[in-house]
Amino acid sequence: MDAAQLVALAVAARERAYAPYSRFAVGAVVLTDDGRTFTGCNVENASYGLTVCAERVAVFSAVAAGARRVVATAVVSAAGASMCGACRQVVSEFAAPDAPVHLAKADGSFRTRTVAELLPEAFGPGRLAEGREG
Ligand code: THU
């Protein structure tokens, strides 16, 4: 599964976005270490704060299906926006710092960053373990 194939899956997932309020459709896909892919789209709500981003839908679907390691991620929006901070944190929980994140436009063109480039000095399980008291 190469980057272009992942982007194509995210482009298709974006078609299913439920974004009547922002009119900002996002699609995402994660590739897990067992070779499976899980897609997501943003799902908005009339109670705006309940909206869930496409990336978190994809990651949570993967985890709910038993996967634990994300080896690549692709995100698609109209103009190739990057991930929000909350989604960077969620992807970081399950992906290595050097795992690629492909940030794509709706036409399929993309740029690639690593998880660590998007979230330097991430707070993860290791930090929690070293700082736990009692
Ligand atoms: N959104 C995502 O799905 N992913 C992001 O990383 C940024 C924002 C969604 C949430 C909301 O439905 C819309 O885009 C506008 O913020």
Side-chain angles (χ1 to χ4, degrees), residues 2 5 8 10 18 21-23 27-28 30-31 38 46 58 60 81 89 92 94 99 102 106-107 112 116 122 128 132:
D2 65 20
Q5 290 173 306
Y18 178 73
Y21 309 108
S22 72
R23 305 181 67 82
V30 294
L31 172 66
F38 298 89
F60 294 160
Q89 178 70 22
S92 165
F94 299 102
H102 310 296
D107 67 5
T112 300
L128 197 56
R132 191 175 277 128

Side-chain angles (χ1 to χ4, degrees), residues 23-126:
R23 305 181 67 82
F24 188 89
V26 184
V29 63
V30 294
L31 172 66
T32 55
D33 61 354
D34 53 13
R36 290 186 289 170
T37 55
F38 298 89
T39 59
C41 59
N42 51 331
V43 182
E44 299 187 344
N45 193 277
S47 179
Y48 295 171
L50 301 183
T51 292
V52 181
C53 294
E55 299 92 321
R56 278 178 287 155
V57 172
V59 171
F60 294 160
S61 294
V63 173
R68 289 292 183 271
R69 298 308 303 164
V70 168
V71 298
T73 301
V75 186
V76 178
S77 58
S82 191
M83 280 198 281
C84 82
C87 291
R88 293 175 195 213
Q89 178 70 22
V90 168
V91 169
S92 165
E93 179 81 16
F94 299 102
D98 63 352
V101 179
H102 310 296
L103 301 167
K105 299 180 184 179
D107 67 5
S109 62
F110 65 92
R111 66 192 191 281
T112 300
R113 301 288 183 264
T114 66
V115 168
E117 284 172 332
L118 296 177
L119 189 65
E121 297 201 28
F123 181 83

